Amino acid sequence: MVLILHEAPLALAQLAVAGPGRWPRLWAERELLLERQHQILHDLISARILQMNAGNTAPAAAVEAANQRLLRQLRLHLRLEERWLGACGCLCPGHRAIHRLVARDSEAGWRQAGSDRQQQLIWLQGLQAWLLEHTGGPDARAYALARSISPSQP
């Protein structure tokens, strides 16, 4: 299971390129990449939850590194999503504020959980719940708006 955690961030980084040496320009390509990033984030969180529930006794350094990678990927995704939604005029101030809150609260929750496995599990489950709600709510609405104007916007 730890192998998955090491490969997923690399896969997320590789998705950033839509072709040899170019970033996606059309909303349809951007949306696909953002949705795949959502799935990778969900998979990272789910893998960590499975490890915690299975009683995995990975070394503390490996657990911390996996959590740091997860938080880094979340921050990178949020910034890219804001950039692309903002570029097409589909990022409202509330959506941006939600991103700021989750980035701040995720970091704080991770630090507060410390090495307590039960608290880490609670933190991961909360992050997973937020991701599912957010992708099905604010993201879905913003992406639909961007899709509706995509013929006139890059």
Side-chain angles (χ1 to χ4, degrees):
M1 190 68 70
V2 173
L3 181 61
I4 292 171
L5 293 174
H6 290 289
E7 290 177 357
L10 178 60
L12 186 60
Q14 290 170 338
L15 288 177
V17 179
R22 82 169 188 91
W23 282 85
R25 292 180 182 258
L26 302 175
W27 174 255
E29 294 172 323
R30 290 176 173 184
E31 182 178 12
L32 179 61
L33 183 133
L34 292 170
E35 291 292 355
R36 290 193 321 202
Q37 287 181 342
H38 287 156
Q39 186 60 50
I40 289 169
L41 285 166
H42 176 73
D43 291 348
L44 283 170
I45 295 167
S46 295
R48 292 285 302 118
I49 289 172
L50 284 173
Q51 285 179 329
M52 301 297 286
N53 283 333
N56 187 318
T57 56
V63 170
E64 183 163 335
N67 289 337
Q68 286 177 346
R69 280 190 300 277
L70 172 60
L71 288 170
R72 185 175 53 251
Q73 295 305 320
L74 176 64
R75 286 189 305 270
L76 289 171
H77 167 73
L78 295 175
R79 284 198 315 252
L80 184 60
E81 184 177 271
E82 287 178 14
R83 179 179 175 189
W84 286 347
L85 287 174
C88 63
C90 299
L91 180 67
C92 72
H95 196 151
R96 185 183 306 272
I98 290 168
H99 284 185
R100 298 290 184 262
L101 284 172
V102 77
R104 184 196 69 206
D105 291 352
S106 294
E107 185 82 25
W110 170 60
R111 294 205 185 286
Q112 186 176 13
S115 61
D116 183 321
R117 289 199 171 293
Q118 186 61 34
Q119 290 302 310
Q120 286 180 18
L121 181 59
I122 291 168
W123 167 70
L124 287 164
Q125 289 170 332
L127 187 55
Q128 184 179 52
W130 175 83
L131 182 63
L132 291 172
E133 184 277 326
H134 189 73
T135 56
D139 279 356
R141 288 187 294 278
Y143 289 16
L145 179 58
R147 202 177 313 115
S148 74
I149 62 170
S150 68
S152 62
Q153 295 276 333

